Structure formats: C-alpha cells, structure tokens
Amino acid sequence: MIVTERLTLRPWTVADAGFHRELWLERDPRVPPHRRIDADGHPTVEELAERIRRSPHEGPIGTLVVELRESGERLGYCGLIEGESDPEIAYEFLRRHWGRGYATESAEAIVEGARAAGIPRLRASVWEWNTASRRVLGRLGFAETGPHRIDPERGRSLMTMREL
C-alpha cells in the first residue's frame, strides 16, 4: 500500500471487479478493441473478478487501485506493467475524476517506489491523441522518444522514457 497526501494506492480485491468494468466502459473508442468491452459484453464483472483472483499482488510490477484517503472512493488505478525492455507506468481514472491532479499524484508515488526498488528506467506508451496523459507524463519528467507503433485506425502510439 502507498499513501500520498490525498490518496491511498492499494492492491486490487475481487470486490473491485465492478469498478474495474466501469473503467472499461468509459474507455475512448480509439482505444484498441482488446481493451474495451466487446459487442457481447465481455469482459463481464465475473471475468474481471477472475483476472483479479489470478493476478499476483507482490513486487514492484502491478497496478494498484487509487482511492481518496478521506472517503475511500475509488478513482482509478496506477502502477507498473511489464514492458518490452523496462517496466511501463500505467494509469487510468474515471472521467469524473479527471483534471484534479490524481493521475500525477499517484504516478509520482509509483515513480518514487520504482526508484526505491532499484529500477533504473521507466517507460510509458501513450497515444498521440491522449493529450491529458501526455501532460501527466511530461510533469513526471518523461521525455518522448518517438513513435512506438503506428495504427492506421488509432494513430501513433508514442514511447516516453524517464531515467531514475
């Protein structure tokens, strides 16, 4: 668990499956189909609960649920995922919580945790059209290193990097 001035970052529990699905439902239609709810309604809450049950909860790699310290309201998630070479920082928040600095505050805590764990460098891939996430990464000191991949339907995915 990580605690910041306003937030608590904690491991996922099966009780978070409905919240996790809410995040999936809000995703921009430009996000690749495998990361959105499909026409048949998958993943379901139960399928997401099963993913949570199977996920390891130890070590520096993994995402954490971000909650308001004061109320326990779930806002989104933030953490590290396996990257092609270096761990990647990842975050996602419900739209009603955008623009309040929660992504930056939680991601700063994750960056500090990665540094403390001896991770030398972090990466993040971000769609060129996702200007809000690009601003968060910029505030965190990530530098864009160029295109990561180009998708004819979704545009360019940019790779960013930060030395720790």
Side-chain angles (χ1 to χ4, degrees):
M1 185 179 306
I2 299 170
V3 178
T4 70
E5 182 180 333
R6 301 180 296 165
L7 308 172
T8 300
L9 287 72
R10 61 154 180 87
W12 291 85
T13 68
V14 172
D16 295 316
F19 162 72
H20 197 186
R21 192 161 195 279
E22 188 178 356
L23 286 163
W24 278 70
L25 286 167
E26 284 194 357
R27 288 185 176 153
D28 189 289
R30 293 171 288 187
V31 169
H34 72 276
R35 296 201 59 236
R36 294 192 319 253
I37 303 294
D38 70 18
D40 296 325
H42 296 281
T44 64
V45 171
E46 184 50 44
E47 288 166 340
L48 291 169
E50 184 57 30
R51 286 184 190 182
I52 293 167
R53 276 187 208 96
R54 289 192 320 248
S55 296
H57 298 290
E58 297 178 15
I61 303 294
T63 61
L64 301 168
V65 175
V66 178
E67 298 177 331
L68 282 176
R69 280 181 59 190
E70 195 171 282
S71 67
E73 180 181 5
R74 293 174 287 202
L75 310 174
Y77 69 80
C78 188
L80 299 178
I81 59 174
E82 292 287 345
E84 293 173 8
S85 56
D86 299 301
E88 291 195 32
I89 192 161
Y91 47 85
E92 181 176 14
F93 289 80
L94 293 171
R95 290 175 191 249
R96 66 181 173 267
H97 301 298
W98 289 5
R100 298 181 186 165
Y102 299 139
T104 301
E105 185 174 335
S106 59
E108 284 174 339
I110 294 297
V111 168
E112 288 308 311
R115 180 181 287 118
I119 295 172
R121 174 179 38 257
L122 293 177
R123 296 183 183 268
S125 59
V126 60
W127 292 103
E128 188 172 43
W129 49 260
N130 191 342
T131 56
S133 283
R134 289 174 67 195
R135 281 193 304 269
V136 169
L137 292 167
R139 283 192 288 275
L140 295 169
F142 281 76
E144 291 182 2
T145 60
H148 176 56
R149 65 179 169 261
I150 298 173
D151 183 305
E153 294 178 39
R154 289 165 191 81
R156 292 189 325 158
S157 172
L158 305 172
M159 183 55 70
T160 67
M161 188 177 74
R162 173 164 175 194
E163 299 287 337
L164 301 180

